[in-house]
Amino acid sequence: MTQSRKRTLFAGCLGIATVAIMASCSNDTTSTDDRATAMADSTAKMSADAQKAVAKKRKGMASAMVSADNAVKIEKGKDGVYSKAEKMPEYPGGEPALSKFVENNIAYPQDAIDQNKEGTVNVSFVIDEKGKVTNPVATGATTGNGLDEEAIKIVKQMPDWTPGMVKGKAVKTRLLLPVTFKLSDG
């Protein structure tokens, strides 16, 4: 917790204590209802500050693993892109390195953290004949709160892959990468 956040929470707690002491020690003609309302208002303010502190403490994680449909035939689509190759494209270092890249480089959007937003973004992209990542787009239902944009951004940042191969020749191959966003406390 940051120093300023601690001060804010302390000040909120101090305000509640001050109102409680004033209410119990007061000899004036302020009604009990007025004192109770003042205490409730102070408690609500502290509660809102505490909620913001908890929201800021939450952290987001993301994971990803390329999915492949083994039932798909090896054939070139009308756009010249294979949906399956004899030898599928490979991320440098394989699946473990891909997962680590996503976990280490993704920035969970603050808006999504504040809104407790989690979900999976399916990013479709093409690995061209040189291993470059091209045309990443989110497919399916959107998750919102910046998660779709962040998933696309991380795919765009990927290093070159080993391209897919058909009959010993490098080919353009379409891949689907589900990027799962998950919140945790801590």
Side-chain angles (χ1 to χ4, degrees):
M1 183 179 294
T2 65
Q3 200 63 16
S4 82
R5 180 63 62 196
K6 287 179 184 176
R7 282 194 288 267
T8 301
L9 289 175
F10 177 74
C13 292
L14 185 60
I16 291 171
T18 303
V19 170
I21 291 169
M22 287 173 51
S24 64
C25 297
S26 178
N27 290 328
D28 65 17
T29 58
T30 306
S31 74
T32 303
D33 288 343
D34 290 342
R35 287 191 297 264
T37 300
M39 285 178 62
D41 289 345
S42 292
T43 302
K45 179 177 178 2
M46 196 289 292
S47 179
D49 288 342
Q51 288 173 352
K52 286 180 185 175
V54 168
K56 295 290 184 196
K57 281 180 60 178
R58 294 201 79 185
K59 292 186 180 180
M61 304 178 332
S63 60
M65 185 172 286
V66 173
S67 63
D69 186 356
N70 291 328
V72 175
K73 291 182 182 180
I74 298 174
E75 60 186 14
K76 190 184 324 185
K78 292 178 183 175
D79 57 358
V81 178
Y82 285 82
S83 52
K84 182 177 177 183
E86 290 173 352
K87 183 175 184 307
M88 291 298 286
E90 193 172 302
Y91 185 84
E95 290 286 335
L98 173 61
S99 291
K100 188 171 184 123
F101 173 83
V102 171
E103 290 171 20
N104 291 338
N105 292 289
I106 203 138
Y108 208 110
Q110 187 60 48
D111 184 44
I113 292 172
D114 293 343
Q115 300 298 321
N116 289 321
K117 190 69 174 174
E118 299 178 321
T120 298
V121 178
N122 292 306
V123 181
S124 173
F125 59 101
V126 173
I127 302 297
D128 71 12
E129 301 94 330
K130 295 181 181 182
K132 302 248 184 256
V133 175
T134 63
N135 305 325
V137 293
T139 62
T142 61
T143 54
N145 297 91
L147 297 179
D148 299 315
E149 294 82 2
E150 186 61 27
I152 291 169
K153 184 179 105 185
I154 200 70
V155 170
K156 286 180 178 178
Q157 293 174 351
M158 286 182 187
D160 291 352
W161 291 51
T162 302
M165 305 290 281
V166 173
K167 296 181 183 175
K169 184 179 176 188
V171 296
K172 293 179 185 175
T173 310
R174 184 172 314 283
L175 296 176
L176 183 68
L177 182 71
V179 180
T180 301
F181 291 86
K182 183 91 174 131
L183 290 169
S184 67
D185 292 327

